[in-house]
Amino acid sequence: MHGTPTKEAIYCVSEAPVSQLRFVCTDCLEKNITDMVNVLNSAQDITRRVGFPAVTLKDIAVNTNWTGATIMCQAALNGGTVDSSPATVDVRYLRQPHVVDSNGQSPVLIGNQGYRFFVECVRGADGLCQQSGRRKTLKCDVQSNPPATQYRWLKNGSPSGTGAEITIGTEMIGQSIQCQANNGLHDESNMPLSQAVQIDPYSSAKLLKDNFQKLQSTSPFLASNRIEMNQQVNMGCEVEGNPRPIVYWRMRKPNGDVVDAACPQGLEGQYQELPPEGGRSANIVRLTALCSLRISNYSYSGQYWCAACSQVSQGEPECSPSLETPGTSSLNVQVIGAPSNSDAPPSIEQRGNDATVLVHYCAEPMPRPPREIVFSIDQNDLQVGQSWENFRFDSAVTNNTVPNCYIARLSISPVREEDQYRRIALKLQNQFGSKQIPVSMDALLGGDSAMVGRMPTFWMYILIGVAALLFVICIIAVCVRRRVKDHPDYNEPKTKANLNIHQENDYFEPPPNAPRLFAQHPPEVNAYDQAVKDAQLRMSIV
């Protein structure tokens, strides 16, 4: 293929009349090739155009990892399937070549100027680059299958040599270079060509001076490189080089680890460019790099230095002094101040029914036992070596991994359920101030929730009392309900009916001898019934 699409067309044909003619991949799943199946299914049916069963793949997007996959033609015939002989895919291609250095690193891309490589320029008294500078080896890097076998180098667009590598020096300063490569897929007159790379002079970045010695001899620094918390330190380094140098600020911790200092680095750093002066070449860039530190905690203790670096490729910069080792000048910082929390939270070590609580803290100078470091347990103070109930303040030891930091050890033997409700704090003090570090026993011992773990004891008693009161109320309610069931309910219809009957008997049919307060009214009689009775009476008389 040239680029992404295929150069050749692939056909699947059959002399016998068949149906469902198609391409299939037999080992794509095994080789983890996931994009070939959909491409094979997109084959174009050209049976009507050619007069016999045929499908084709043409101008399809091909992936280079298809090389080695096995495909075949398959068709349906007489209720079964028939397969062709398998074929192995061999994707032949050649990508655009690139010019890289001997380490395989690409050139630097400078905005609005294009790609740049640099050769070392050692200037003489006349200000010109001497031939004694180090020469640079460049390679023509290309991805292809089969591998490229033909290379050509061009200087300013004209052929200048062959081979996969070329070595250049100061004679190429101001010139451009390109390379071509071929593996037989292209005509010699049309070989793929790399982008042009400009060659510029390279004066290695170097450190000229710094203000470290001046800082350590003036305020806010005290004797022995000590400095109090919350002070400002402004470091500065003067560097020069071409291309424009960059500065990395480095710090070695007391435990030996080397890290970036807490200030802007490299291209994002703070710089002040200095104007040309004296016999300095106009190509040489001189500037002052600045680093402002606000000493806010003990992690700022360590050894500081600056490294002047040149970014002459897209790989690691070339620096002096090294990014890992300071040069002859550095700034030592020893932070002093009041006790403070460490980055590590309190932790616990459990051994069966026993446990040890570890509380991390930092201070310089170190709080001195017995009075300046105390564990408070429910307002009971324990000095180193003292015990209270099942608690014992074992020791306070140095943390060997973090500068100016320590570990206080509180043993619990045995661990009880009520220990998760204890109010524990580590109280620290030195000449600069004091600090209390609370310890959540509920969190360390795995309580159900932080709220329950901090709940005072009297609230627990109140909750228990409320629960008991609710239980008594429920018992009384049940007893009242049972007693009501033993007596009739006068609200029920049947009971009301019986009551009405008794009332009628009591008020409308009194006993014969009962005195009457009012005259009885005769009962009302229907007029029709009365007439019938009168007629019957007359007939009986007749």
Side-chain angles (χ1 to χ4, degrees), residues 71-355:
I71 63 172
M72 62 174 58
C73 287
Q74 191 176 82
L77 180 65
N78 298 329
T81 58
V82 289
D83 300 330
S84 71
S85 299
T88 301
V89 177
D90 184 19
V91 181
R92 298 184 178 183
Y93 65 97
L94 187 139
R95 303 296 191 204
Q96 182 184 18
H98 297 276
V99 179
V100 298
D101 65 13
S102 57
N103 296 320
Q105 300 295 334
S106 300
V108 178
L109 179 60
I110 300 178
N112 301 323
Q113 298 184 34
Y115 289 94
R116 292 288 189 275
F117 263 133
F118 299 88
V119 294
E120 186 176 29
C121 172
V122 179
R123 299 186 183 274
D126 56 0
L128 300 177
C129 296
Q130 305 297 308
Q131 296 293 330
S132 59
R134 289 179 298 176
R135 299 180 67 80
K136 194 178 194 72
T137 298
L138 302 178
K139 295 180 178 181
C140 189
D141 181 54
V142 62
Q143 298 179 8
S144 63
N145 179 43
T149 56
Q150 186 179 3
Y151 297 91
R152 182 186 298 152
W153 291 92
L154 294 89
K155 295 181 181 179
N156 294 331
S158 300
S160 177
T162 58
E165 298 182 358
I166 190 173
T167 301
I168 61 173
T170 55
E171 74 281 356
M172 277 296 296
I173 291 177
Q175 311 295 318
S176 69
I177 193 167
Q178 293 171 279
C179 74
Q180 292 178 303
N182 195 8
N183 62 350
L185 293 180
H186 300 267
D187 295 333
E188 186 174 342
S189 60
N190 193 30
M191 293 167 54
L193 180 66
S194 73
Q195 291 180 315
V197 179
Q198 186 78 16
I199 307 300
D200 285 347
Y202 159 47
S203 296
S204 59
K206 58 183 178 181
L207 174 64
L208 301 179
K209 61 182 179 179
D210 57 56
N211 66 343
F212 297 157
Q213 185 175 359
K214 181 180 178 181
L215 283 176
Q216 290 196 301
S217 60
T218 58
S219 177
F221 275 89
L222 306 174
S224 302
N225 307 319
R226 295 181 300 159
I227 185 171
E228 292 186 14
M229 203 89 73
N230 299 318
Q231 296 294 327
Q232 187 81 18
V233 176
N234 297 315
M235 298 184 292
C237 291
E238 188 174 313
V239 299
E240 71 173 16
N242 184 42
R244 179 186 176 89
I246 56 177
V247 172
Y248 287 93
W249 296 93
R250 304 290 280 172
M251 169 196 175
R252 173 172 285 159
K253 295 182 177 182
N255 63 359
D257 293 343
V258 176
V259 298
D260 286 338
C263 47
Q265 304 283 339
L267 296 174
E268 273 106 37
Q270 292 181 282
Y271 300 100
Q272 295 178 353
E273 190 163 341
L274 304 176
E277 60 182 15
R280 176 159 57 95
S281 169
N283 291 329
I284 301 297
V285 179
R286 181 175 295 179
L287 46 83
T288 299
L290 303 174
C291 173
S292 297
L293 296 178
R294 183 71 177 176
I295 309 298
S296 58
N297 55 55
Y298 292 103
S299 66
Y300 285 84
S301 293
Q303 182 184 20
Y304 293 83
W305 73 94
C306 61
C309 303
S310 297
Q311 195 76 48
V312 295
S313 71
Q314 291 188 5
E316 294 295 326
E318 297 180 8
C319 299
S320 176
S322 167
L323 293 175
E324 300 301 323
T325 306
T328 56
S329 179
S330 62
L331 178 67
N332 292 293
V333 176
Q334 179 67 39
V335 182
I336 58 177
S340 66
N341 292 72
S342 172
D343 292 336
S347 58
I348 192 168
E349 297 176 352
Q350 291 185 307
R351 302 174 304 277
N353 293 329
D354 300 337

Side-chain angles (χ1 to χ4, degrees), residues 372-383:
E372 293 184 349
I373 175 169
V374 174
F375 263 113
S376 174
I377 306 169
D378 290 343
Q379 300 182 352
N380 295 283
D381 289 347
L382 295 184
Q383 298 176 354

Side-chain angles (χ1 to χ4, degrees), residues 348-469:
I348 192 168
E349 297 176 352
Q350 291 185 307
R351 302 174 304 277
N353 293 329
D354 300 337
T356 300
V357 176
L358 309 178
V359 182
H360 302 256
Y361 64 96
C362 300
E364 179 60 33
M366 179 185 73
R368 294 170 298 178
R371 297 183 181 275
E372 293 184 349
I373 175 169
V374 174
F375 263 113
S376 174
I377 306 169
D378 290 343
Q379 300 182 352
N380 295 283
D381 289 347
L382 295 184
Q383 298 176 354
V384 176
Q386 292 183 338
S387 301
W388 178 77
E389 292 191 1
N390 56 329
F391 291 86
R392 175 181 172 81
F393 188 176
D394 283 341
S395 61
V397 297
T398 301
N399 187 337
N400 294 323
T401 60
V402 184
N404 308 117
C405 292
Y406 309 89
I407 305 173
R409 302 173 62 89
L410 178 67
S411 295
I412 311 174
S413 179
V415 176
R416 302 170 184 168
E417 184 177 354
E418 60 268 20
D419 290 338
Q420 62 180 319
Y421 310 123
R422 301 283 190 188
R423 294 189 298 274
I424 299 179
L426 179 65
K427 298 193 292 188
L428 305 164
Q429 182 180 352
N430 65 9
Q431 67 190 70
F432 295 100
S434 60
K435 176 72 175 179
Q436 282 197 21
I437 302 177
V439 180
S440 173
M441 293 302 296
D442 175 61
L444 294 178
L445 294 175
D448 293 335
S449 69
M451 183 174 291
V452 174
R454 297 184 179 94
M455 185 176 294
T457 305
F458 70 93
W459 281 111
M460 297 291 291
Y461 289 139
I462 290 176
L463 289 178
I464 294 173
V466 170
L469 180 60

